Structures are given as C-alpha cells and as structure tokens.
PDB file of all heavy atoms in Angstrom:
ATOM      1  N   MET H  68       4.922 -11.063   3.753  1.00 86.00           N
ATOM      2  CA  MET H  68       4.736  -9.587   4.022  1.00 86.00           C
ATOM      3  C   MET H  68       3.155  -9.350   4.090  1.00 86.00           C
ATOM      4  O   MET H  68       2.519  -9.895   3.407  1.00 86.00           O
ATOM      5  CB  MET H  68       5.279  -8.732   3.010  1.00 86.00           C
ATOM      6  CG  MET H  68       6.822  -8.513   2.996  1.00 86.00           C
ATOM      7  SD  MET H  68       7.466  -7.086   2.200  1.00 86.00           S
ATOM      8  CE  MET H  68       6.964  -7.474   0.513  1.00 86.00           C
ATOM      9  N   SER H  69       2.888  -8.339   4.948  1.00 95.00           N
ATOM     10  CA  SER H  69       1.526  -7.886   5.025  1.00 95.00           C
ATOM     11  C   SER H  69       1.109  -7.057   3.808  1.00 95.00           C
ATOM     12  O   SER H  69       1.940  -6.678   3.114  1.00 95.00           O
ATOM     13  CB  SER H  69       1.266  -7.004   6.298  1.00 95.00           C
ATOM     14  OG  SER H  69       1.888  -5.778   6.112  1.00 95.00           O
ATOM     15  N   ILE H  70      -0.219  -6.907   3.652  1.00 97.00           N
ATOM     16  CA  ILE H  70      -0.736  -6.068   2.595  1.00 97.00           C
ATOM     17  C   ILE H  70      -0.083  -4.606   2.622  1.00 97.00           C
ATOM     18  O   ILE H  70       0.375  -4.103   1.600  1.00 97.00           O
ATOM     19  CB  ILE H  70      -2.218  -5.943   2.501  1.00 97.00           C
ATOM     20  CG1 ILE H  70      -2.925  -7.218   2.328  1.00 97.00           C
ATOM     21  CG2 ILE H  70      -2.700  -4.935   1.433  1.00 97.00           C
ATOM     22  CD1 ILE H  70      -4.421  -7.040   2.349  1.00 97.00           C
ATOM     23  N   VAL H  71       0.016  -4.126   3.806  1.00 97.00           N
ATOM     24  CA  VAL H  71       0.582  -2.792   3.937  1.00 97.00           C
ATOM     25  C   VAL H  71       1.982  -2.645   3.584  1.00 97.00           C
ATOM     26  O   VAL H  71       2.424  -1.719   2.893  1.00 97.00           O
ATOM     27  CB  VAL H  71       0.305  -2.262   5.354  1.00 97.00           C
ATOM     28  CG1 VAL H  71       0.881  -0.861   5.638  1.00 97.00           C
ATOM     29  CG2 VAL H  71      -1.155  -2.159   5.638  1.00 97.00           C
ATOM     30  N   GLU H  72       2.708  -3.604   3.995  1.00 97.00           N
ATOM     31  CA  GLU H  72       4.238  -3.799   3.588  1.00 97.00           C
ATOM     32  C   GLU H  72       4.422  -3.838   2.114  1.00 97.00           C
ATOM     33  O   GLU H  72       5.284  -3.293   1.429  1.00 97.00           O
ATOM     34  CB  GLU H  72       4.794  -4.964   4.314  1.00 97.00           C
ATOM     35  CG  GLU H  72       5.241  -4.724   5.736  1.00 97.00           C
ATOM     36  CD  GLU H  72       5.558  -5.905   6.590  1.00 97.00           C
ATOM     37  OE1 GLU H  72       5.123  -7.046   6.061  1.00 97.00           O
ATOM     38  OE2 GLU H  72       6.130  -5.845   7.538  1.00 97.00           O
ATOM     39  N   ASN H  73       3.440  -4.632   1.471  1.00 97.00           N
ATOM     40  CA  ASN H  73       3.423  -4.893   0.078  1.00 97.00           C
ATOM     41  C   ASN H  73       3.109  -3.464  -0.658  1.00 97.00           C
ATOM     42  O   ASN H  73       3.748  -3.272  -1.686  1.00 97.00           O
ATOM     43  CB  ASN H  73       2.486  -5.904  -0.406  1.00 97.00           C
ATOM     44  CG  ASN H  73       2.849  -7.320  -0.100  1.00 97.00           C
ATOM     45  OD1 ASN H  73       4.129  -7.533  -0.098  1.00 97.00           O
ATOM     46  ND2 ASN H  73       1.939  -8.176   0.021  1.00 97.00           N
ATOM     47  N   ILE H  74       2.321  -2.743  -0.076  1.00 97.00           N
ATOM     48  CA  ILE H  74       1.955  -1.413  -0.680  1.00 97.00           C
ATOM     49  C   ILE H  74       3.242  -0.593  -0.674  1.00 97.00           C
ATOM     50  O   ILE H  74       3.597   0.151  -1.719  1.00 97.00           O
ATOM     51  CB  ILE H  74       0.781  -0.698   0.101  1.00 97.00           C
ATOM     52  CG1 ILE H  74      -0.495  -1.379  -0.172  1.00 97.00           C
ATOM     53  CG2 ILE H  74       0.822   0.849  -0.268  1.00 97.00           C
ATOM     54  CD1 ILE H  74      -1.634  -0.949   0.764  1.00 97.00           C
ATOM     55  N   SER H  75       4.014  -0.528   0.423  1.00 97.00           N
ATOM     56  CA  SER H  75       5.236   0.217   0.511  1.00 97.00           C
ATOM     57  C   SER H  75       6.251  -0.270  -0.397  1.00 97.00           C
ATOM     58  O   SER H  75       6.874   0.619  -1.110  1.00 97.00           O
ATOM     59  CB  SER H  75       5.786   0.057   2.048  1.00 97.00           C
ATOM     60  OG  SER H  75       7.017   0.603   2.054  1.00 97.00           O
ATOM     61  N   ALA H  76       6.392  -1.537  -0.543  1.00 97.00           N
ATOM     62  CA  ALA H  76       7.420  -2.069  -1.443  1.00 97.00           C
ATOM     63  C   ALA H  76       7.051  -1.831  -3.028  1.00 97.00           C
ATOM     64  O   ALA H  76       7.927  -1.455  -3.763  1.00 97.00           O
ATOM     65  CB  ALA H  76       7.508  -3.620  -1.306  1.00 97.00           C
ATOM     66  N   ALA H  77       5.743  -1.977  -3.235  1.00 97.00           N
ATOM     67  CA  ALA H  77       5.363  -1.732  -4.614  1.00 97.00           C
ATOM     68  C   ALA H  77       5.436  -0.217  -5.117  1.00 97.00           C
ATOM     69  O   ALA H  77       5.914   0.078  -6.146  1.00 97.00           O
ATOM     70  CB  ALA H  77       3.786  -2.049  -4.889  1.00 97.00           C
ATOM     71  N   LEU H  78       5.190   0.665  -4.155  1.00 96.00           N
ATOM     72  CA  LEU H  78       5.299   2.063  -4.326  1.00 96.00           C
ATOM     73  C   LEU H  78       6.837   2.414  -4.580  1.00 96.00           C
ATOM     74  O   LEU H  78       7.077   3.133  -5.575  1.00 96.00           O
ATOM     75  CB  LEU H  78       4.823   2.881  -3.184  1.00 96.00           C
ATOM     76  CG  LEU H  78       4.971   4.334  -3.309  1.00 96.00           C
ATOM     77  CD1 LEU H  78       3.634   5.072  -3.081  1.00 96.00           C
ATOM     78  CD2 LEU H  78       5.894   5.048  -2.444  1.00 96.00           C
ATOM     79  N   GLN H  79       7.637   1.874  -3.817  1.00 96.00           N
ATOM     80  CA  GLN H  79       9.100   2.152  -3.997  1.00 96.00           C
ATOM     81  C   GLN H  79       9.602   1.715  -5.413  1.00 96.00           C
ATOM     82  O   GLN H  79      10.648   2.177  -5.987  1.00 96.00           O
ATOM     83  CB  GLN H  79       9.965   1.457  -2.978  1.00 96.00           C
ATOM     84  CG  GLN H  79       9.836   2.108  -1.574  1.00 96.00           C
ATOM     85  CD  GLN H  79      10.503   1.552  -0.548  1.00 96.00           C
ATOM     86  OE1 GLN H  79      11.779   1.443  -0.495  1.00 96.00           O
ATOM     87  NE2 GLN H  79       9.805   0.958   0.556  1.00 96.00           N
ATOM     88  N   LYS H  80       8.996   0.636  -5.984  1.00 96.00           N
ATOM     89  CA  LYS H  80       9.325   0.120  -7.214  1.00 96.00           C
ATOM     90  C   LYS H  80       8.612   1.007  -8.326  1.00 96.00           C
ATOM     91  O   LYS H  80       8.727   0.714  -9.566  1.00 96.00           O
ATOM     92  CB  LYS H  80       8.985  -1.337  -7.422  1.00 96.00           C
ATOM     93  CG  LYS H  80      10.032  -2.296  -6.579  1.00 96.00           C
ATOM     94  CD  LYS H  80       9.535  -3.722  -6.570  1.00 96.00           C
ATOM     95  CE  LYS H  80      10.397  -4.445  -5.728  1.00 96.00           C
ATOM     96  NZ  LYS H  80       9.682  -5.751  -5.263  1.00 96.00           N
ATOM     97  N   GLY H  81       7.716   1.832  -7.960  1.00 96.00           N
ATOM     98  CA  GLY H  81       6.869   2.642  -8.869  1.00 96.00           C
ATOM     99  C   GLY H  81       5.854   1.806  -9.616  1.00 96.00           C
ATOM    100  O   GLY H  81       5.380   2.240 -10.759  1.00 96.00           O
ATOM    101  N   LYS H  82       5.260   0.705  -9.008  1.00 97.00           N
ATOM    102  CA  LYS H  82       4.337  -0.055  -9.699  1.00 97.00           C
ATOM    103  C   LYS H  82       2.925   0.505  -9.359  1.00 97.00           C
ATOM    104  O   LYS H  82       2.289   0.021  -8.425  1.00 97.00           O
ATOM    105  CB  LYS H  82       4.481  -1.517  -9.180  1.00 97.00           C
ATOM    106  CG  LYS H  82       5.837  -2.136  -9.637  1.00 97.00           C
ATOM    107  CD  LYS H  82       5.913  -3.608  -9.375  1.00 97.00           C
ATOM    108  CE  LYS H  82       7.214  -4.233  -9.899  1.00 97.00           C
ATOM    109  NZ  LYS H  82       7.325  -5.676  -9.428  1.00 97.00           N
ATOM    110  N   ARG H  83       2.484   1.369 -10.218  1.00 97.00           N
ATOM    111  CA  ARG H  83       1.203   2.209  -9.836  1.00 97.00           C
ATOM    112  C   ARG H  83       0.060   1.239  -9.809  1.00 97.00           C
ATOM    113  O   ARG H  83      -0.735   1.303  -8.911  1.00 97.00           O
ATOM    114  CB  ARG H  83       1.130   3.302 -10.915  1.00 97.00           C
ATOM    115  CG  ARG H  83      -0.046   4.266 -10.554  1.00 97.00           C
ATOM    116  CD  ARG H  83      -0.134   5.368 -11.609  1.00 97.00           C
ATOM    117  NE  ARG H  83      -0.614   4.855 -12.956  1.00 97.00           N
ATOM    118  CZ  ARG H  83      -1.850   4.708 -13.345  1.00 97.00           C
ATOM    119  NH1 ARG H  83      -2.819   4.951 -12.429  1.00 97.00           N
ATOM    120  NH2 ARG H  83      -2.054   4.170 -14.428  1.00 97.00           N
ATOM    121  N   LYS H  84      -0.088   0.254 -10.772  1.00 97.00           N
ATOM    122  CA  LYS H  84      -1.237  -0.502 -10.932  1.00 97.00           C
ATOM    123  C   LYS H  84      -1.359  -1.412  -9.748  1.00 97.00           C
ATOM    124  O   LYS H  84      -2.355  -1.662  -9.189  1.00 97.00           O
ATOM    125  CB  LYS H  84      -1.099  -1.321 -12.238  1.00 97.00           C
ATOM    126  CG  LYS H  84      -2.417  -1.939 -12.678  1.00 97.00           C
ATOM    127  CD  LYS H  84      -2.259  -2.700 -14.037  1.00 97.00           C
ATOM    128  CE  LYS H  84      -3.456  -3.488 -14.291  1.00 97.00           C
ATOM    129  NZ  LYS H  84      -3.174  -4.713 -15.040  1.00 97.00           N
ATOM    130  N   GLU H  85      -0.089  -1.968  -9.366  1.00 97.00           N
ATOM    131  CA  GLU H  85      -0.003  -2.796  -8.227  1.00 97.00           C
ATOM    132  C   GLU H  85      -0.499  -2.051  -6.986  1.00 97.00           C
ATOM    133  O   GLU H  85      -1.108  -2.576  -5.971  1.00 97.00           O
ATOM    134  CB  GLU H  85       1.343  -3.365  -8.046  1.00 97.00           C
ATOM    135  CG  GLU H  85       1.387  -4.619  -7.198  1.00 97.00           C
ATOM    136  CD  GLU H  85       2.875  -5.303  -7.211  1.00 97.00           C
ATOM    137  OE1 GLU H  85       3.363  -5.374  -8.312  1.00 97.00           O
ATOM    138  OE2 GLU H  85       3.235  -5.666  -6.061  1.00 97.00           O
ATOM    139  N   VAL H  86      -0.028  -0.864  -6.781  1.00 97.00           N
ATOM    140  CA  VAL H  86      -0.342  -0.013  -5.618  1.00 97.00           C
ATOM    141  C   VAL H  86      -1.797   0.161  -5.509  1.00 97.00           C
ATOM    142  O   VAL H  86      -2.457  -0.127  -4.447  1.00 97.00           O
ATOM    143  CB  VAL H  86       0.450   1.393  -5.667  1.00 97.00           C
ATOM    144  CG1 VAL H  86      -0.082   2.248  -4.596  1.00 97.00           C
ATOM    145  CG2 VAL H  86       1.947   1.075  -5.433  1.00 97.00           C
ATOM    146  N   VAL H  87      -2.461   0.466  -6.672  1.00 97.00           N
ATOM    147  CA  VAL H  87      -3.849   0.782  -6.597  1.00 97.00           C
ATOM    148  C   VAL H  87      -4.597  -0.596  -6.195  1.00 97.00           C
ATOM    149  O   VAL H  87      -5.531  -0.554  -5.338  1.00 97.00           O
ATOM    150  CB  VAL H  87      -4.423   1.208  -8.139  1.00 97.00           C
ATOM    151  CG1 VAL H  87      -5.817   1.095  -8.195  1.00 97.00           C
ATOM    152  CG2 VAL H  87      -3.831   2.594  -8.336  1.00 97.00           C
ATOM    153  N   GLU H  88      -4.243  -1.737  -6.828  1.00 97.00           N
ATOM    154  CA  GLU H  88      -4.939  -3.013  -6.480  1.00 97.00           C
ATOM    155  C   GLU H  88      -4.709  -3.263  -4.987  1.00 97.00           C
ATOM    156  O   GLU H  88      -5.663  -3.750  -4.363  1.00 97.00           O
ATOM    157  CB  GLU H  88      -4.352  -4.152  -7.267  1.00 97.00           C
ATOM    158  CG  GLU H  88      -4.768  -4.089  -8.748  1.00 97.00           C
ATOM    159  CD  GLU H  88      -3.984  -4.952  -9.739  1.00 97.00           C
ATOM    160  OE1 GLU H  88      -3.105  -5.614  -9.209  1.00 97.00           O
ATOM    161  OE2 GLU H  88      -4.280  -4.978 -10.994  1.00 97.00           O
ATOM    162  N   LEU H  89      -3.548  -3.110  -4.489  1.00 98.00           N
ATOM    163  CA  LEU H  89      -3.169  -3.381  -3.068  1.00 98.00           C
ATOM    164  C   LEU H  89      -4.023  -2.431  -2.068  1.00 98.00           C
ATOM    165  O   LEU H  89      -4.394  -2.947  -0.953  1.00 98.00           O
ATOM    166  CB  LEU H  89      -1.779  -3.412  -2.716  1.00 98.00           C
ATOM    167  CG  LEU H  89      -0.935  -4.494  -3.336  1.00 98.00           C
ATOM    168  CD1 LEU H  89       0.571  -4.158  -3.314  1.00 98.00           C
ATOM    169  CD2 LEU H  89      -1.130  -5.864  -2.612  1.00 98.00           C
ATOM    170  N   VAL H  90      -4.098  -1.301  -2.434  1.00 97.00           N
ATOM    171  CA  VAL H  90      -4.954  -0.285  -1.597  1.00 97.00           C
ATOM    172  C   VAL H  90      -6.357  -0.625  -1.596  1.00 97.00           C
ATOM    173  O   VAL H  90      -7.046  -0.714  -0.479  1.00 97.00           O
ATOM    174  CB  VAL H  90      -4.683   1.173  -2.197  1.00 97.00           C
ATOM    175  CG1 VAL H  90      -5.731   2.120  -1.357  1.00 97.00           C
ATOM    176  CG2 VAL H  90      -3.194   1.644  -1.894  1.00 97.00           C
ATOM    177  N   GLN H  91      -6.817  -1.028  -2.727  1.00 97.00           N
ATOM    178  CA  GLN H  91      -8.265  -1.451  -2.814  1.00 97.00           C
ATOM    179  C   GLN H  91      -8.438  -2.788  -1.869  1.00 97.00           C
ATOM    180  O   GLN H  91      -9.417  -2.929  -1.166  1.00 97.00           O
ATOM    181  CB  GLN H  91      -8.650  -1.797  -4.216  1.00 97.00           C
ATOM    182  CG  GLN H  91      -8.864  -0.451  -4.999  1.00 97.00           C
ATOM    183  CD  GLN H  91      -9.043  -0.679  -6.530  1.00 97.00           C
ATOM    184  OE1 GLN H  91      -8.447  -1.680  -6.979  1.00 97.00           O
ATOM    185  NE2 GLN H  91      -9.537   0.210  -7.378  1.00 97.00           N
ATOM    186  N   GLU H  92      -7.556  -3.748  -2.111  1.00 97.00           N
ATOM    187  CA  GLU H  92      -7.565  -4.998  -1.363  1.00 97.00           C
ATOM    188  C   GLU H  92      -7.421  -4.741   0.191  1.00 97.00           C
ATOM    189  O   GLU H  92      -8.182  -5.273   1.029  1.00 97.00           O
ATOM    190  CB  GLU H  92      -6.329  -5.811  -1.701  1.00 97.00           C
ATOM    191  CG  GLU H  92      -6.413  -7.331  -1.250  1.00 97.00           C
ATOM    192  CD  GLU H  92      -5.193  -7.963  -1.578  1.00 97.00           C
ATOM    193  OE1 GLU H  92      -4.672  -7.779  -2.729  1.00 97.00           O
ATOM    194  OE2 GLU H  92      -4.723  -8.845  -0.913  1.00 97.00           O
ATOM    195  N   ALA H  93      -6.606  -3.768   0.513  1.00 97.00           N
ATOM    196  CA  ALA H  93      -6.413  -3.434   1.983  1.00 97.00           C
ATOM    197  C   ALA H  93      -7.722  -2.788   2.527  1.00 97.00           C
ATOM    198  O   ALA H  93      -8.097  -3.157   3.654  1.00 97.00           O
ATOM    199  CB  ALA H  93      -5.353  -2.489   2.157  1.00 97.00           C
ATOM    200  N   LEU H  94      -8.327  -1.838   1.798  1.00 97.00           N
ATOM    201  CA  LEU H  94      -9.651  -1.190   2.119  1.00 97.00           C
ATOM    202  C   LEU H  94     -10.670  -2.307   2.303  1.00 97.00           C
ATOM    203  O   LEU H  94     -11.468  -2.235   3.418  1.00 97.00           O
ATOM    204  CB  LEU H  94     -10.059  -0.152   1.270  1.00 97.00           C
ATOM    205  CG  LEU H  94      -9.252   1.149   1.245  1.00 97.00           C
ATOM    206  CD1 LEU H  94      -9.627   1.948   0.017  1.00 97.00           C
ATOM    207  CD2 LEU H  94      -9.540   1.896   2.535  1.00 97.00           C
ATOM    208  N   ALA H  95     -10.675  -3.304   1.367  1.00 97.00           N
ATOM    209  CA  ALA H  95     -11.814  -4.305   1.415  1.00 97.00           C
ATOM    210  C   ALA H  95     -11.604  -5.170   2.596  1.00 97.00           C
ATOM    211  O   ALA H  95     -12.530  -5.664   3.186  1.00 97.00           O
ATOM    212  CB  ALA H  95     -11.651  -5.108   0.108  1.00 97.00           C
ATOM    213  N   SER H  96     -10.355  -5.403   3.021  1.00 97.00           N
ATOM    214  CA  SER H  96     -10.140  -6.276   4.210  1.00 97.00           C
ATOM    215  C   SER H  96     -10.265  -5.587   5.544  1.00 97.00           C
ATOM    216  O   SER H  96     -10.031  -6.057   6.684  1.00 97.00           O
ATOM    217  CB  SER H  96      -8.712  -6.821   4.063  1.00 97.00           C
ATOM    218  OG  SER H  96      -7.740  -5.899   4.244  1.00 97.00           O
ATOM    219  N   GLY H  97     -10.648  -4.281   5.520  1.00 96.00           N
ATOM    220  CA  GLY H  97     -11.091  -3.591   6.746  1.00 96.00           C
ATOM    221  C   GLY H  97      -9.887  -2.745   7.390  1.00 96.00           C
ATOM    222  O   GLY H  97      -9.965  -2.312   8.430  1.00 96.00           O
ATOM    223  N   ILE H  98      -8.691  -2.666   6.617  1.00 97.00           N
ATOM    224  CA  ILE H  98      -7.599  -1.860   7.152  1.00 97.00           C
ATOM    225  C   ILE H  98      -8.058  -0.406   7.092  1.00 97.00           C
ATOM    226  O   ILE H  98      -8.549   0.054   5.987  1.00 97.00           O
ATOM    227  CB  ILE H  98      -6.345  -2.143   6.447  1.00 97.00           C
ATOM    228  CG1 ILE H  98      -5.827  -3.688   6.681  1.00 97.00           C
ATOM    229  CG2 ILE H  98      -5.134  -1.307   6.982  1.00 97.00           C
ATOM    230  CD1 ILE H  98      -4.867  -4.129   5.698  1.00 97.00           C
ATOM    231  N   THR H  99      -7.713   0.362   8.038  1.00 96.00           N
ATOM    232  CA  THR H  99      -8.187   1.767   8.039  1.00 96.00           C
ATOM    233  C   THR H  99      -7.288   2.593   6.942  1.00 96.00           C
ATOM    234  O   THR H  99      -6.179   2.176   6.694  1.00 96.00           O
ATOM    235  CB  THR H  99      -7.945   2.572   9.456  1.00 96.00           C
ATOM    236  OG1 THR H  99      -6.567   2.515   9.752  1.00 96.00           O
ATOM    237  CG2 THR H  99      -8.812   1.888  10.406  1.00 96.00           C
ATOM    238  N   ALA H 100      -7.931   3.678   6.524  1.00 95.00           N
ATOM    239  CA  ALA H 100      -7.208   4.476   5.425  1.00 95.00           C
ATOM    240  C   ALA H 100      -5.948   5.107   6.144  1.00 95.00           C
ATOM    241  O   ALA H 100      -4.881   5.219   5.351  1.00 95.00           O
ATOM    242  CB  ALA H 100      -8.142   5.617   4.913  1.00 95.00           C
ATOM    243  N   GLN H 101      -6.028   5.460   7.456  1.00 93.00           N
ATOM    244  CA  GLN H 101      -4.896   6.015   8.144  1.00 93.00           C
ATOM    245  C   GLN H 101      -3.644   5.095   8.045  1.00 93.00           C
ATOM    246  O   GLN H 101      -2.625   5.556   7.794  1.00 93.00           O
ATOM    247  CB  GLN H 101      -5.356   6.389   9.549  1.00 93.00           C
ATOM    248  CG  GLN H 101      -4.158   6.793  10.393  1.00 93.00           C
ATOM    249  CD  GLN H 101      -3.911   8.344  10.404  1.00 93.00           C
ATOM    250  OE1 GLN H 101      -4.784   9.070  10.875  1.00 93.00           O
ATOM    251  NE2 GLN H 101      -2.833   8.810   9.867  1.00 93.00           N
ATOM    252  N   VAL H 102      -3.944   3.733   8.389  1.00 96.00           N
ATOM    253  CA  VAL H 102      -2.886   2.847   8.389  1.00 96.00           C
ATOM    254  C   VAL H 102      -2.341   2.621   7.045  1.00 96.00           C
ATOM    255  O   VAL H 102      -1.199   2.514   6.786  1.00 96.00           O
ATOM    256  CB  VAL H 102      -3.337   1.457   9.025  1.00 96.00           C
ATOM    257  CG1 VAL H 102      -2.381   0.384   8.896  1.00 96.00           C
ATOM    258  CG2 VAL H 102      -3.604   1.616  10.568  1.00 96.00           C
ATOM    259  N   ILE H 103      -3.152   2.517   6.092  1.00 97.00           N
ATOM    260  CA  ILE H 103      -2.719   2.294   4.587  1.00 97.00           C
ATOM    261  C   ILE H 103      -1.803   3.573   4.284  1.00 97.00           C
ATOM    262  O   ILE H 103      -0.778   3.307   3.713  1.00 97.00           O
ATOM    263  CB  ILE H 103      -3.985   2.146   3.676  1.00 97.00           C
ATOM    264  CG1 ILE H 103      -4.695   0.960   4.113  1.00 97.00           C
ATOM    265  CG2 ILE H 103      -3.464   2.020   2.282  1.00 97.00           C
ATOM    266  CD1 ILE H 103      -6.078   0.872   3.383  1.00 97.00           C
ATOM    267  N   LEU H 104      -2.293   4.679   4.635  1.00 94.00           N
ATOM    268  CA  LEU H 104      -1.529   5.951   4.323  1.00 94.00           C
ATOM    269  C   LEU H 104      -0.158   5.901   4.981  1.00 94.00           C
ATOM    270  O   LEU H 104       0.913   6.045   4.353  1.00 94.00           O
ATOM    271  CB  LEU H 104      -2.421   7.112   4.627  1.00 94.00           C
ATOM    272  CG  LEU H 104      -1.737   8.495   4.329  1.00 94.00           C
ATOM    273  CD1 LEU H 104      -1.733   8.754   2.762  1.00 94.00           C
ATOM    274  CD2 LEU H 104      -2.456   9.719   4.971  1.00 94.00           C
ATOM    275  N   ASP H 105      -0.206   5.901   6.299  1.00 92.00           N
ATOM    276  CA  ASP H 105       0.972   6.007   7.042  1.00 92.00           C
ATOM    277  C   ASP H 105       1.924   4.911   6.955  1.00 92.00           C
ATOM    278  O   ASP H 105       3.180   5.042   6.680  1.00 92.00           O
ATOM    279  CB  ASP H 105       0.626   6.116   8.636  1.00 92.00           C
ATOM    280  CG  ASP H 105      -0.048   7.372   8.970  1.00 92.00           C
ATOM    281  OD1 ASP H 105      -0.116   8.380   8.024  1.00 92.00           O
ATOM    282  OD2 ASP H 105      -0.638   7.465   9.965  1.00 92.00           O
ATOM    283  N   ASP H 106       1.496   3.588   7.021  1.00 95.00           N
ATOM    284  CA  ASP H 106       2.430   2.405   7.116  1.00 95.00           C
ATOM    285  C   ASP H 106       2.689   1.791   5.664  1.00 95.00           C
ATOM    286  O   ASP H 106       3.670   0.965   5.650  1.00 95.00           O
ATOM    287  CB  ASP H 106       1.838   1.312   7.943  1.00 95.00           C
ATOM    288  CG  ASP H 106       1.748   1.799   9.504  1.00 95.00           C
ATOM    289  OD1 ASP H 106       2.276   2.950   9.818  1.00 95.00           O
ATOM    290  OD2 ASP H 106       1.025   1.215  10.261  1.00 95.00           O
ATOM    291  N   GLY H 107       1.804   2.347   4.718  1.00 96.00           N
ATOM    292  CA  GLY H 107       2.078   1.890   3.391  1.00 96.00           C
ATOM    293  C   GLY H 107       2.609   2.857   2.514  1.00 96.00           C
ATOM    294  O   GLY H 107       3.874   2.849   2.112  1.00 96.00           O
ATOM    295  N   LEU H 108       1.830   3.822   1.963  1.00 94.00           N
ATOM    296  CA  LEU H 108       2.196   4.784   1.123  1.00 94.00           C
ATOM    297  C   LEU H 108       3.373   5.816   1.555  1.00 94.00           C
ATOM    298  O   LEU H 108       4.334   5.816   0.968  1.00 94.00           O
ATOM    299  CB  LEU H 108       0.943   5.629   0.616  1.00 94.00           C
ATOM    300  CG  LEU H 108      -0.111   4.806  -0.121  1.00 94.00           C
ATOM    301  CD1 LEU H 108      -1.423   5.638  -0.186  1.00 94.00           C
ATOM    302  CD2 LEU H 108       0.211   4.367  -1.394  1.00 94.00           C
ATOM    303  N   LEU H 109       3.089   6.413   2.779  1.00 91.00           N
ATOM    304  CA  LEU H 109       3.951   7.385   3.185  1.00 91.00           C
ATOM    305  C   LEU H 109       5.284   6.657   3.631  1.00 91.00           C
ATOM    306  O   LEU H 109       6.422   7.313   3.490  1.00 91.00           O
ATOM    307  CB  LEU H 109       3.387   8.165   4.339  1.00 91.00           C
ATOM    308  CG  LEU H 109       2.153   9.015   4.028  1.00 91.00           C
ATOM    309  CD1 LEU H 109       1.813  10.042   5.178  1.00 91.00           C
ATOM    310  CD2 LEU H 109       2.361   9.798   2.706  1.00 91.00           C
ATOM    311  N   LYS H 110       5.186   5.487   4.234  1.00 93.00           N
ATOM    312  CA  LYS H 110       6.470   4.836   4.773  1.00 93.00           C
ATOM    313  C   LYS H 110       7.315   4.504   3.510  1.00 93.00           C
ATOM    314  O   LYS H 110       8.461   4.669   3.435  1.00 93.00           O
ATOM    315  CB  LYS H 110       5.974   3.533   5.402  1.00 93.00           C
ATOM    316  CG  LYS H 110       7.193   2.901   6.162  1.00 93.00           C
ATOM    317  CD  LYS H 110       6.727   1.792   6.966  1.00 93.00           C
ATOM    318  CE  LYS H 110       8.093   1.051   7.569  1.00 93.00           C
ATOM    319  NZ  LYS H 110       7.835  -0.291   7.971  1.00 93.00           N
ATOM    320  N   GLY H 111       6.568   3.995   2.348  1.00 95.00           N
ATOM    321  CA  GLY H 111       7.296   3.738   1.255  1.00 95.00           C
ATOM    322  C   GLY H 111       7.931   4.950   0.611  1.00 95.00           C
ATOM    323  O   GLY H 111       9.173   4.840   0.170  1.00 95.00           O
ATOM    324  N   MET H 112       7.261   6.105   0.585  1.00 92.00           N
ATOM    325  CA  MET H 112       7.833   7.263   0.097  1.00 92.00           C
ATOM    326  C   MET H 112       9.147   7.801   0.927  1.00 92.00           C
ATOM    327  O   MET H 112       9.956   8.249   0.409  1.00 92.00           O
ATOM    328  CB  MET H 112       6.774   8.372  -0.171  1.00 92.00           C
ATOM    329  CG  MET H 112       7.081   9.371  -1.123  1.00 92.00           C
ATOM    330  SD  MET H 112       7.086   8.822  -2.838  1.00 92.00           S
ATOM    331  CE  MET H 112       7.805  10.093  -3.709  1.00 92.00           C
ATOM    332  N   GLY H 113       8.923   7.651   2.091  1.00 90.00           N
ATOM    333  CA  GLY H 113       9.900   8.046   3.138  1.00 90.00           C
ATOM    334  C   GLY H 113      11.167   7.269   2.936  1.00 90.00           C
ATOM    335  O   GLY H 113      12.243   7.790   2.881  1.00 90.00           O
TER     336      GLY H 113
END
C-alpha cells in the first residue's frame, strides 16, 4: 500500500500516533497536503 493508503487505513483504526507519523512521512516525501487530505484522511473518514 502507498503512504496515503496507509494513512486512510490507520485513521480508520483510530491509530492517532501512526496517522501523525505517516502524514509527516508523506509531507517529507513531497506528497501535497491536498492529496494527503483528500486521498488519505478524508477518504479514511468517509
């Protein structure tokens, strides 16, 4: 799974610490905040 997919999966499991680490990792690897938000966090919540 991609980092963004992992963010979605971790969020659905309520793993806050893991979500924070993965978001930081995604930003560091150059993924835009919009993609992290839409395809990771919001997709997971949806």
Side-chain angles (χ1 to χ4, degrees):
M68 284 203 297
S69 69
I70 297 180
V71 175
E72 286 169 333
N73 284 335
I74 290 170
S75 169
L78 181 126
Q79 289 178 60
K80 289 174 187 157
K82 296 185 173 176
R83 191 177 66 84
K84 196 171 168 215
E85 198 175 315
V86 167
V87 167
E88 287 167 1
L89 286 165
V90 167
Q91 287 168 333
E92 192 183 324
L94 285 170
S96 68
I98 299 170
T99 66
Q101 172 90 68
V102 168
I103 298 167
L104 181 71
D105 290 347
D106 300 344
L108 296 168
L109 299 189
K110 190 177 177 200
M112 204 65 193

